[in-house]
Amino acid sequence: MGKDNNTLEKNATFLMIAALISKIIGMLYKSPLSTTLGSQSFALFQFAQNIYFILLMIATFSIPQAVSKIMAEKIAFKRYRDAQKVFRCALLYAVIAGGAVALFCVFGASILVPDNMANARLALQMLAPTIFLSGILGVFRGYFQAYRNMLPTSISQIIEQIFVAIVALGMSGFMVRHFSGQGEDVVQRWSAAGATLGTGAGVLSALLFMLLVYKVNSRTIRGKIERDRRSVNESYSVLMKSIMLIVFPIILSTFIYNVNGTVNSYMYMGIMGMRGREEDMLQVLYAEYGFFMTLINIPLTLASTAPTSMIPEVSAHYATGDLEAANAKTDRATWISMLISIPAAVGLAVLSGPITRLIFPKTNGVAGQLLILGAITIILNGNSNISNGVLQGIGKPNIPMIHAAIALVVDVIAMALLMFFTDLGIYGVVIAMIVYAVVMVLLNDRAMKKYMGHRNPWKSAYLYPLLASIPMGLVAGGVYYGLYALLPVNIICLGVSVIFAVVVYFVVYLLVSRPTEEDLSALPGGRYLARAAGRLYRSKDPK
């Protein structure tokens, strides 16, 4: 295996492990958080977070990808001084854009949050400083990603999530106790706002860590710059223009790609309110939707680590004209993504009820039903995340942006029809989400064939994981419900069924796909999997 393959797989592994730890922490802390806040306050917190996420995308959310892409192209030609200038320009951009959007977050909360969710406005305003700091943090993460070093980003993500959990739980509990007796609206408003303070604490802690890493590496960085004889010393104005020309399409495409969730939330609350649904019930059901999103975001985040680590690699190969290597990186990232996405979707669908009851004891059961319906989006979004990363990496950021806009129009039409002409309610939000994802997959697949000559590795990346996931799902459901009939303890039955399911999945996968040792080394714990695969192969082929 070549050095480039090892780099991609090592970086993907770092990000995958960090994402797994971060999402587990995020999932675990939201369980007691939802209990502390109650369904209605949790819905306010979730709504404010969704608006914050959109504002963050407008400001600086895609800065890490943009910085890593631009710098990676220059580093590929050993233009370290020019790469450092890109870094400084990106910091300036992050300060200006992040500051402007943070101010809008403070003074425009009444515009951003509808009247039937007015108690979420204070929570949104509390997130304004976080928007400003997130842009700066994103620049530092993109800087090290450009040098193909994902370890600082990975560690900072874990640190961030730890502080998010601690501060969110502490401050939400403090607000509930402090404002108790002052009216339900006051308690809901301030407790949701207290929970959002955790997000700011997490970003600040991660930024301080990245500043420390940068300081530790400053001597090495200066050495590369001093030995640089290839940079063309582009002016800051030229570099800033280049950053904007690349950043804006990426940010816009990412914004359009992710805004459908917020648009659907607005439409759900607005149209259902027009149809006379009670505000309290709408908020309770929206909290169930928040539980559902928390659960599916774990595999979605894990699957997105492959394209995140892939973009600098694809950009570097494409810049040097090595299209074959760029396609090979795409296939590798797709394989890693689907190896996680497909069994995760099947497992969450089969065990939806037990999982939601374990993580969110206050659920009324709707979240589990949403999980059965919406698990397919894990696979669909895993696919489109790869294709978005590829198209951005080869300098075609406008393509996924256009596709996301088309998908958004289809999503809005589907959402309007579902809300006005059916009684599906919150289930319609998930159906529209699936429609959006399907449109993105189809359009992006066509574009990759056109611009890259790429063909999706359907057999190796999709068919084999699916074949292994079918018996896995049967075993997971059979073991859980069979054991539960004898010993009705949810956590024990769930733990045993998951262990059996994981073993069955990997054994069947190894038998049907017979991956090489090089393939398995791409995964966390790949060395141990390779040994297990060798023993399994020898048992089936004694000669």
Side-chain angles (χ1 to χ4, degrees):
M1 184 182 296
K3 182 179 178 180
D4 286 340
N5 275 345
N6 285 327
T7 301
L8 172 62
E9 291 155 4
K10 180 179 69 175
N11 288 336
T13 299
F14 284 154
L15 290 175
M16 197 176 298
I17 293 173
L20 178 61
I21 296 172
S22 299
K23 285 301 176 180
I24 288 175
I25 295 172
M27 178 183 66
L28 293 178
Y29 99 84
K30 282 189 177 178
S31 178
L33 181 66
S34 65
T35 302
T36 300
L37 295 178
S39 293
Q40 290 176 264
S41 292
F42 186 80
L44 298 175
F45 163 74
Q46 195 72 33
F47 197 90
Q49 289 278 14
N50 287 343
I51 302 298
Y52 155 76
F53 188 59
I54 296 302
L55 293 175
L56 190 63
M57 282 189 289
I58 294 173
T60 51
F61 182 78
S62 294
I63 277 289
Q65 291 183 4
V67 171
S68 65
K69 170 181 165 45
I70 301 170
M71 288 185 61
E73 291 174 351
K74 300 185 183 303
I75 291 170
F77 295 100
K78 301 188 184 302
R79 293 167 53 187
Y80 299 110
R81 188 176 296 108
D82 288 342
Q84 193 70 11
K85 280 189 174 182
V86 171
F87 169 65
R88 296 193 189 105
C89 286
L91 280 175
L92 178 61
Y93 171 85
V95 168
I96 295 172
V101 175
L103 290 173
F104 178 65
C105 180
V106 173
F107 298 106
S110 59
I111 301 172
L112 296 167
V113 180
D115 290 339
N116 59 357
M117 295 291 281
N119 285 338
R121 288 168 182 166
L122 178 62
L124 179 61
Q125 290 171 326
M126 291 285 194
L127 287 164
T130 309
I131 294 174
F132 177 74
L133 295 176
S134 292
I136 301 172
L137 173 61
V139 174
F140 278 94
R141 284 174 170 169
Y143 180 88
F144 286 102
Q145 289 171 19
Y147 280 98
R148 303 185 184 185
N149 183 4
M150 303 297 177
L151 188 58
T153 294
S154 303
I155 296 175
S156 71
Q157 287 175 345
I158 297 172
I159 293 172
E160 178 181 350
Q161 199 60 50
I162 290 172
F163 276 86
V164 168
I166 293 172
V167 176
L169 289 172
M171 290 306 300
S172 61
F174 171 78
M175 294 296 186
V176 169
R177 292 188 299 271
H178 183 74
F179 290 98
S180 62
Q182 298 189 30
E184 188 176 345
D185 280 355
V186 174
V187 173
Q188 288 180 6
R189 182 165 61 250
W190 280 98
S191 60
T196 61
L197 290 175
T199 307
V203 170
L204 177 60
S205 63
L207 176 58
L208 292 175
F209 171 77
M210 294 301 289
L211 288 171
L212 176 63
V213 173
Y214 184 79
K215 178 66 175 177
V216 170
N217 286 272
S218 59
R219 180 176 298 180
T220 302
I221 295 168
R222 285 197 302 269
K224 289 179 180 292
I225 294 172
E226 290 170 0
R227 293 189 296 272
D228 177 13
R229 298 295 182 269
R230 299 189 180 186
S231 286
V232 297
N233 293 319
E234 295 170 290
S235 67
Y236 282 105
S237 61
V238 171
L239 288 174
M240 183 63 80
K241 185 181 295 183
S242 299
I243 290 173
M244 290 183 176
L245 288 174
I246 295 177
V247 165
F248 285 169
I250 293 178
I251 287 178
L252 189 56
S253 64
T254 305
F255 167 73
I256 297 174
Y257 183 65
N258 289 278
V259 77
N260 69 302
T262 301
V263 170
N264 290 348
S265 299
Y266 269 98
M267 293 182 70
Y268 167 71
M269 297 299 297
I271 297 174
M272 289 294 99
M274 289 171 53
R275 295 185 63 184
R277 303 298 190 269
E278 293 183 5
E279 183 176 309
D280 290 352
M281 181 55 66
L282 290 177
Q283 291 181 0
V284 168
L285 291 175
Y286 190 79
E288 292 290 313
Y289 173 73
F291 298 160
F292 155 73
M293 289 300 299
T294 298
L295 291 171
I296 68 164
N297 274 334
I298 297 173
L300 282 176
T301 302
L302 291 178
S304 70
T305 57
T308 298
S309 60
M310 175 187 64
I311 288 176
E313 303 276 343
V314 172
S315 299
H317 286 303
Y318 192 79
T320 56
D322 193 351
L323 191 60
E324 183 179 352
N327 273 311
K329 292 291 185 293
T330 302
D331 288 346
R332 175 71 63 171
T334 303
W335 175 69
I336 295 173
S337 179
M338 290 301 111
L339 197 64
I340 298 167
S341 299
I342 294 175
V346 174
L348 285 175
V350 171
L351 299 174
S352 60
I355 291 172
T356 52
R357 289 195 302 272
L358 176 67
I359 305 301
F360 299 105
K362 295 289 186 180
T363 181
N364 58 19
V366 171
Q369 296 170 3
L370 293 176
L371 197 55
I372 295 173
L373 178 64
I376 185 66
T377 59
I378 298 171
I379 301 171
L380 295 172
N381 285 325
N383 177 291
S384 57
N385 280 337
I386 296 289
S387 52
N388 280 347
V390 170
L391 293 169
Q392 290 170 1
I394 64 171
K396 304 289 184 182
N398 290 332
I399 301 301
M401 178 181 67
I402 294 170
H403 292 170
I406 295 171
L408 182 60
V409 172
V410 176
D411 172 272
V412 169
I413 294 172
M415 189 68 185
L417 293 174
L418 290 165
M419 292 298 102
F420 277 116
F421 300 108
T422 75
D423 292 322
L424 289 170
I426 198 68
Y427 298 96
V429 178
V430 177
I431 293 173
M433 181 177 163
I434 295 171
V435 170
Y436 179 94
V438 168
V439 174
M440 280 299 300
V441 167
L442 295 176
L443 293 177
N444 276 5
D445 185 65
R446 186 179 67 175
M448 287 180 64
K449 290 176 182 176
K450 178 179 179 181
Y451 294 105
M452 294 277 290
H454 182 264
R455 294 293 184 271
N456 243 317
W458 295 109
K459 185 176 181 181
S460 61
Y462 296 87
L463 179 60
Y464 291 149
L466 180 60
L467 291 176
S469 296
I470 293 172
M472 178 208 74
L474 294 173
V475 168
V479 170
Y480 176 83
Y481 291 105
L483 188 59
Y484 195 82
L486 300 174
L487 180 67
V489 180
N490 188 32
I491 189 170
I492 294 177
C493 299
L494 193 58
V496 174
S497 65
V498 169
I499 292 172
F500 273 90
V502 170
V503 172
V504 169
Y505 174 72
F506 279 107
V507 168
V508 176
Y509 179 80
L510 291 173
L511 290 175
V512 298
S513 69
R514 300 184 74 86
T516 65
E517 184 177 346
E518 291 181 346
D519 290 332
L520 293 174
S521 66
L523 305 172
R527 184 177 304 174
Y528 302 103
L529 287 174
R531 292 175 184 171
R535 289 194 292 269
L536 183 64
Y537 296 158
R538 286 192 295 272
S539 69
K540 294 297 179 181
D541 302 308
K543 65 180 180 179

